[in-house]
Amino acid sequence: MVNRTDARAKVAGPSAESISHDGSVPVATRALAVDIAAVTALVVLTLIPYAQTAWFDFVNFDDPMYVSRNKLVEGGLCWSGVWDSIFRFHAANWHPLVWLSYMVEVEIFGMSSGAMHISNVLLHLVNSILVYTWLRVSRQDSVRSFCAALLFAIHPAHVESVAWVTERKDVLSTLFLFLSLIGYSKYAEAASKRW
């Protein structure tokens, strides 16, 4: 016969591994809670200045040439557009990933300046979280990592890159920069070819 009190404790109570012998919460669990709190605060504090861009229109400086009146982007995601974005220059530039990201958005949302601004904000949010992650992977403490990531997230130097649709190339290249830095840091730590 099973004792009901023991059964309830097994279902509702923490596992033996999650509590140390002295009854305190393990360091790894505390670190995870701190990281979750830091990322949440980072998201909220970044959205405060940038959420308003959802209502911004296209800017008459470069946005028509790159996005709003660009035949390559206006057609949405199609094979000819993918081909042209990869193998041709437009407006004296070659950045296929940027064109492809615009085409995907036009395919999903139509030619919406708000959706494109939100995409830039979301990419910047991901970049800010990646700054925090990279610093934590590099064995920095959570307070320093959070302060550096917050400075990155809300520094006025990033306003143009985030609030101007044409500057998508900036937030996209930053995304791959920090993914590379995290990958290299993990490789240097573990010396594993996987990273």
Side-chain angles (χ1 to χ4, degrees):
M1 184 165 190
V2 176
N3 184 343
R4 289 179 186 228
T5 308
D6 290 342
R8 271 190 241 125
K10 285 181 182 176
V11 171
S15 66
E17 296 84 26
S18 68
I19 295 183
S20 61
H21 296 292
D22 63 356
S24 64
V25 179
V27 174
T29 304
R30 273 185 280 157
L32 179 62
V34 168
D35 288 342
I36 290 170
V39 167
T40 302
L42 196 58
V43 168
V44 170
L45 293 171
T46 304
L47 285 176
I48 290 171
Y50 289 117
Q52 62 184 320
T53 64
W55 293 274
F56 289 2
D57 203 353
F58 291 114
V59 178
N60 286 334
F61 184 71
D62 282 350
D63 280 354
M65 181 176 27
Y66 281 89
V67 185
S68 62
R69 293 190 191 136
N70 181 348
K71 297 294 181 196
L72 180 68
V73 172
E74 284 179 333
L77 194 60
C78 60
W79 286 114
S80 63
V82 171
W83 178 267
D84 287 347
S85 69
I86 294 172
F87 295 106
R88 296 194 182 178
F89 283 77
H90 180 74
N93 287 292
W94 183 78
H95 33 65
L97 191 58
V98 174
W99 302 129
L100 291 170
S101 70
Y102 291 145
M103 287 189 273
V104 167
E105 286 181 78
V106 168
E107 192 69 32
I108 297 170
F109 303 109
M111 190 59 74
S112 167
S113 62
M116 291 186 182
H117 283 294
I118 289 170
S119 293
N120 278 10
V121 171
L122 291 176
L123 283 166
H124 183 62
L125 270 173
V126 169
N127 291 341
S128 301
I129 293 167
L130 288 175
V131 169
Y132 179 81
T133 304
W134 173 55
L135 292 171
R136 292 291 282 144
V137 165
S138 301
R139 302 198 185 269
Q140 297 294 324
D141 66 66
S142 55
V143 173
R144 287 184 199 163
S145 299
F146 174 75
C147 290
L150 183 61
L151 182 62
F152 174 87
I154 63 172
H155 197 281
H158 293 289
V159 170
E160 182 179 327
S161 298
V162 180
W164 186 20
V165 172
T166 298
E167 281 299 300
R168 172 75 51 86
K169 54 191 168 275
D170 222 17
V171 289
L172 273 176
S173 61
T174 303
L175 173 76
F176 291 107
L177 167 71
F178 284 112
L179 287 173
S180 299
L181 288 171
I182 290 168
Y184 178 76
S185 296
K186 293 296 261 182
Y187 164 76
E189 178 184 307
S192 165
K193 288 187 178 183
R194 186 184 126 206
W195 286 102

